[in-house]
């Protein structure tokens, strides 16, 4: 967490932070910022963040031993430690990081997508639109990874911590990016990772149950999402979502609404036609009406397309150009991704790890399934437990056969997670089986496939690992399928 040679005065770094008390000299030179004492170097501003598992204030003595210049903290440290006290160190980290890297976000057009579902696909397609119609160099930040133009960078979080975020913005701006498209998670809004960023356009896609382990209630979850509209110049809202009135209430910026269900909105999708290969509709905006298509099946693709068009219109791109770009957009890894098979059956990999997303993808696959629709899924450990039986019931209601298995169990016992999922299946008529080992479960699904079946591998999507305990183990479902098919071919 270093600057690469940049030196700033303390007073410059903390100019937008509310200082409760301090004993540090304003002209103290700061050569870096850190919030992990293991990565701290001499001359740093060390930010003591109170986290979920530990408190950064505990590591102030260790940071001081390493030669930090000043500590940014919420609790005043021991005598002799140069400190700046503030009420919220997460906000402080964001503001200091923004200044340290010269506020690079302000040098580019910032487009943020927030919502439970649709963020990843929307950001990739929005990037394609900007490149195709504006010949722009675009940075991307999200679940699948980060990109600077065509260069791919691995990421650990949907939205990185604020220091890494502004460092990435600086790299993007220096590389010539004119636009940044990013997923903005509820975690990042709640934990102040995106504090101090002014979005040129922010899009709200939808809201369904997720992340209640952090937010507690759906109202709090919605309130976290709404925060993005307090830091944007133009907002776009899915008018068909039940939380749309809440998102629009008290808006401080112009808001553009969109609808695919005949709702009261400025941008509408009419004459919608769904096929197994994609979606077709007329995009209607004022007096304009343009034929639009996107080669990703499902009604959710219509909503994603509308959100992208709304963002494009907000940036001054014509409706016709938005539609033209959508017609050449490709699918996204781990989102309704078809995997090669050895027979008359299909395997689809999708990241649907939330109740609403699982229901949507199963309903999308139903019309294109000639045989049985088989749902293979699990639920992540150390996350919202309330959604587990809900997802079990959704799978039973929308699939012909269900295979309950592991996702990322993390520190929970895998079978304990599965038992909570099965609670939602017990009163249903849909047959199911439990196979705890996900690799074994995928092999079983392939071996028991019938002509015309569609097998949905839900939950992992783009991920090429499984988290057991605190460790990541390599596990790519594309490789697993290919390996089983190769073994079947040999035998």
């Amino acid at each position: 967490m270093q600057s690469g040679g940049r030196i700033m005065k303390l007073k410059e770094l903390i100019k937008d932070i509310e200082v409760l008390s301090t004993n540090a000299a304003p002209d103290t030179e700061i050569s870096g910022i850190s919030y992990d004492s293991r990565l701290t170097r001499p001359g740093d501003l060390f930010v003591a963040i109170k986290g979920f598992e530990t408190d950064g204030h505990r590591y102030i003595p260790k940071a001081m031993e390493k030669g930090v210049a000043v500590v940014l903290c919420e609790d005043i440290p021991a005598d002799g430690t140069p400190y700046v006290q503030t009420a919220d160190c997460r906000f402080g980290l964001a503001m200091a990081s923004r200044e340290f890297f010269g506020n690079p976000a302000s040098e580019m057009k910032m487009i943020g997508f927030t919502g439970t579902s649709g963020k990843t696909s929307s950001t990739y397609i929005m990037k394609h639109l900007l490149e195709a119609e504006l010949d722009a160099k675009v940075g991307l930040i999200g679940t699948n990874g980060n990109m600077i133009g065509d260069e791919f960078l691995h990421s650990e979080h949907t939205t990185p911590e604020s220091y890494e975020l502004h460092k990435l913005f600086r790299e993007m701006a220096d590389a010539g990016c004119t636009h940044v498209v990013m997923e903005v998670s509820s975690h990042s809004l709640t934990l102040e990772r995106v504090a101090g960023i002014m979005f040129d356009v922010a899009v709200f896609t939808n809201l369904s149950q997720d992340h209640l382990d952090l937010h507690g209630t759906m109202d709090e979850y919605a309130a976290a999402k709404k925060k993005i509209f307090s830091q944007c110049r133009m907002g776009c809202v899915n008018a068909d979502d039940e939380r749309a009135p809440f998102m629009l209430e008290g808006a401080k910026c112009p808001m553009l609404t969109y609808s695919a269900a005949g709702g009261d909105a400025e941008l509408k999708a009419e004459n919608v036609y769904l096929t197994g290969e994609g979606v077709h509709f007329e995009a209607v905006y004022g007096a304009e009406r343009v034929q639009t298509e996107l080669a990703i099946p499902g009604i959710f693709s219509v909503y994603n397309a509308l959100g992208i068009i709304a963002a494009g219109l907000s940036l001054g791109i014509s409706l016709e150009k938005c539609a033209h770009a959508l017609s050449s957009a490709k699918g996204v890894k781990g989102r309704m991704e078809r995997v090669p098979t050895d027979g008359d059956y299909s395997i689809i990999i999708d990241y649907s790890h939330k109740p609403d997303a699982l229901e949507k993808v199963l309903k999308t696959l139903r019309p294109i399934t000639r045989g049985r629709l088989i749902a293979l899924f699990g639920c992540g450990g150390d996350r919202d437990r309330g959604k587990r039986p809900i997802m079990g019931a959704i799978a039973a209601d929308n699939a012909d056969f269900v295979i309950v298995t592991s996702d990322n169990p993390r520190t929970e016992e895998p079978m304990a997670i599965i038992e909570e999922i099965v609670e939602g299946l017990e009163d249903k008529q849909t047959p199911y089986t439990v196979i705890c080992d996900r690799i074994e479960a995928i092999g079983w699904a392939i071996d028991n496939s019938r002509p015309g079946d569609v097998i949905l591998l839900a939950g992992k999507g783009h991920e090429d690992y499984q988290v057991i305990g605190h460790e990541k183990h390599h596990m790519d479902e594309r490789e697993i399928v290919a390996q089983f098919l190769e073994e079947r071919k040999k035998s």
Side-chain angles (χ1 to χ4, degrees), residues 170-219:
R170 173 45 60 202
E171 292 172 5
M172 288 175 172
D174 290 350
C177 288
T178 56
H179 296 69
V180 174
V181 185
M182 62 183 293
E183 297 181 47
V184 184
S185 66
S186 60
H187 280 71
S188 72
L189 288 158
T190 300
L191 302 179
E192 304 290 6
R193 291 176 189 163
V194 294
I197 299 169
M198 177 57 71
F199 291 93
D200 292 275
V201 185
V203 181
F204 168 72
T205 61
N206 52 60
L207 199 80
S208 59
Q209 183 171 332
D210 196 31
H211 301 310
L212 297 191
D213 52 317
L214 173 66
H215 303 293
T217 67
M218 287 297 293
D219 287 345

Side-chain angles (χ1 to χ4, degrees), residues 27 29 91 103 212 245 252 255 280 283 350 361 386 390 416 460:
D27 290 328
E29 292 188 338
F91 181 82
N103 195 6
L212 297 191
K252 300 293 193 295
M255 304 289 274
H280 305 260
D350 192 83
V361 72
I390 294 172
K460 299 296 292 172

Side-chain angles (χ1 to χ4, degrees), residues 48-110:
I49 292 177
K50 293 183 177 181
F52 295 109
E53 296 183 1
T54 189
D55 184 346
H57 290 76
R58 293 173 50 193
Y59 301 96
I60 290 175
K62 184 177 179 181
M64 290 301 298
E65 289 176 7
K66 291 192 171 185
V68 300
V70 180
V71 171
L72 181 66
C73 55
E74 295 174 22
D75 303 329
I76 298 175
D79 292 344
T81 300
Y83 74 89
V84 174
Q85 183 191 25
T86 190
D88 186 346
C89 277
R90 289 188 183 276
F91 181 82
L93 175 64
M95 294 298 102
S97 299
R98 184 182 70 175
E99 296 309 311
F100 189 75
F101 290 105
N103 195 6
S106 67
E107 301 171 23
M108 302 172 285
K109 293 285 187 182
M110 305 294 297

